[in-house]
Amino acid sequence: MNQIELGNSQLNVSQIGLGCMRMNQLSVSQATKIVSLCLDQGINFFDHADIYGDGASEEIFGRALQENSISRNDVIIQTKCGIRKGFYDFSKKHIISSVEGSLQRLGVDYLDCLGLHRPDALVIPEEVAEAFSELNKSGKVKHFGVSNHNPYQIDLLKKYCDQPIEFNQLQYGLMHADIVKSGLNVNNHIDSAIDRDGFVLDYSRIHNMTIQAWSPMQYGFFAGVFVNNEKFPELNQVLNELAEKYQSTASGIAVAWINKHPSDIQTLIGTMNEERIKEFSASTTVSLTKQEWYQLYQAAGNQLL
């Protein structure tokens, strides 16, 4: 498993991380098997959020750690906060109370990483800064980041926060390639040239922030997976051809496409299926050529002018 540095944190993390949104659907014994398998495969990074399963995903993960006697030093735990029922909340009070709740459910003394889940339009950045400083000085959170933020939203936080913003979670994959698409179509009067993200990929590279790709196998707004989906025959044909060439799988090639980007994107897989975890883990050994990367990009319905 490839290791990458998370931002400028000097924290080495597996290039594939496990997104734990669906862990609430497992028993503790099942979750224990999944966590152990991930560690065996070299995946040491586990991404949570306080809203996943209304906290149940964190709780089951914490019990799995305890019942399997997994060392805290062997896992890197990230969680996110800010989404509440019906609104978003980046207030100091909510950030701190959310972290306290996550720590209790996870059964740990500290979080390696905390992310702000979705932008709060009513954010008071001074409050975020106070919350980050308090959590960091108390040893409860080591590193900080965001999710689904654009560069100006990040800069607003950075203006006040002493702690670096190390990562940004964004949806990215073959069927969600907008963060590269707009850059490939600069100065063209077509829809693909529309920048909806503030050129966040280039911003992240300039500031050495790690992009964490969430739901990389989905198309549409959680409409389903694109691998082996009859709606995408051209893409799947190329995925399967390359899978045969590299002795991989279509899913493995789809992740290898993300890994190919030189910005060291970290892919968060959300599966709780053991075989799929093995597939994704093996993808880090596949090194696509530049031509193959562009071939997949176009097979996914994107145009090169």
Side-chain angles (χ1 to χ4, degrees):
M1 173 62 62
N2 293 342
Q3 297 277 313
I4 62 172
E5 182 182 358
L6 190 75
N8 291 305
S9 68
Q10 297 185 333
L11 179 68
N12 290 323
V13 301
S14 52
Q15 190 165 19
I16 304 294
L18 185 72
C20 298
M21 185 174 70
R22 298 183 179 90
M23 191 161 280
N24 66 306
Q25 301 171 7
L26 305 182
S27 66
V28 174
S29 61
Q30 289 172 326
T32 298
K33 288 182 65 177
I34 292 297
V35 174
S36 297
L37 173 63
C38 285
L39 293 174
D40 289 343
Q41 295 292 314
I43 297 173
N44 67 355
F45 190 93
F46 300 88
D47 175 67
H48 292 269
D50 57 357
I51 64 165
Y52 291 167
D54 289 328
S57 292
E58 290 180 328
E59 183 177 357
I60 291 170
F61 180 86
R63 290 177 61 190
L65 292 186
Q66 294 166 8
E67 295 191 14
N68 204 39
S69 299
I70 295 172
S71 171
R72 177 65 181 87
N73 295 328
D74 290 338
V75 294
I76 295 173
I77 301 175
Q78 173 174 291
T79 198
K80 302 181 292 296
C81 69
I83 298 179
R84 303 182 70 176
K85 291 182 179 179
F87 65 107
Y88 301 152
D89 187 357
F90 285 178
S91 66
K92 176 183 177 181
K93 179 179 179 181
H94 178 67
I95 292 172
I96 291 176
S97 65
S98 177
V99 168
E100 296 287 0
S102 291
L103 290 173
Q104 184 177 9
R105 289 187 293 271
L106 289 162
V108 297
D109 297 325
Y110 69 93
L111 299 171
D112 295 286
C113 307
L114 174 69
L116 300 178
H117 210 158
R118 282 193 176 273
D120 175 9
L122 305 181
V123 61
I124 300 173
E126 295 92 334
E127 286 200 26
V128 175
E130 290 176 10
F132 281 9
S133 290
E134 190 171 312
L135 291 167
N136 189 239
K137 288 176 181 177
S138 67
K140 293 177 180 177
V141 180
K142 294 187 175 183
H143 306 286
F144 298 86
V146 295
S147 181
N148 308 299
H149 279 56
N150 68 36
Y152 277 106
Q153 291 168 328
I154 295 168
D155 278 346
L156 178 62
L157 295 175
K158 288 168 68 174
K159 179 180 178 181
Y160 297 94
C161 293
D162 293 330
Q163 291 72 31
I165 306 297
E166 306 284 10
F167 62 89
N168 189 6
Q169 245 182 60
L170 300 165
Q171 187 167 20
Y172 178 63
L174 275 164
M175 296 303 295
H176 280 278
D178 286 348
I179 62 173
V180 296
K181 190 185 302 183
S182 56
L184 283 168
N185 290 282
V186 171
N187 203 37
N188 288 306
H189 295 278
I190 55 177
D191 287 347
S192 295
I194 298 172
D195 169 34
R196 295 179 170 87
D197 307 295
F199 289 102
V200 68
L201 177 58
D202 299 309
Y203 175 91
S204 300
R205 297 183 75 179
I206 290 168
H207 296 281
N208 202 27
M209 287 179 60
T210 296
I211 289 178
Q212 297 175 336
W214 59 266
S215 291
M217 313 304 290
Q218 292 277 328
Y219 70 94
F221 188 73
F222 294 108
V225 298
F226 56 80
V227 173
N228 297 325
N229 189 323
E230 61 183 11
K231 292 181 179 180
F232 309 104
E234 183 180 354
L235 175 57
N236 277 284
Q237 179 179 342
V238 178
L239 285 170
N240 286 315
E241 288 173 356
L242 292 173
E244 183 176 357
K245 173 183 175 180
Y246 288 101
Q247 296 183 329
S248 181
T249 64
S251 296
I253 296 298
V255 174
W257 183 85
I258 297 173
N259 296 341
K260 176 66 177 177
H261 198 277
S263 60
D264 281 341
I265 294 170
Q266 184 185 34
T267 302
L268 301 179
I269 59 172
T271 183
M272 294 291 123
N273 180 286
E274 294 182 30
E275 292 306 314
R276 297 273 285 167
I277 289 172
K278 292 176 184 177
E279 282 183 33
F280 290 130
S281 299
S283 69
T284 60
T285 64
V286 176
S287 180
L288 298 173
T289 67
K290 180 174 284 193
Q291 183 177 0
E292 288 165 347
W293 188 93
Y294 277 104
Q295 182 185 12
L296 284 163
Y297 174 80
Q298 293 177 85
N302 302 301
Q303 183 180 5
L304 287 181
L305 298 179

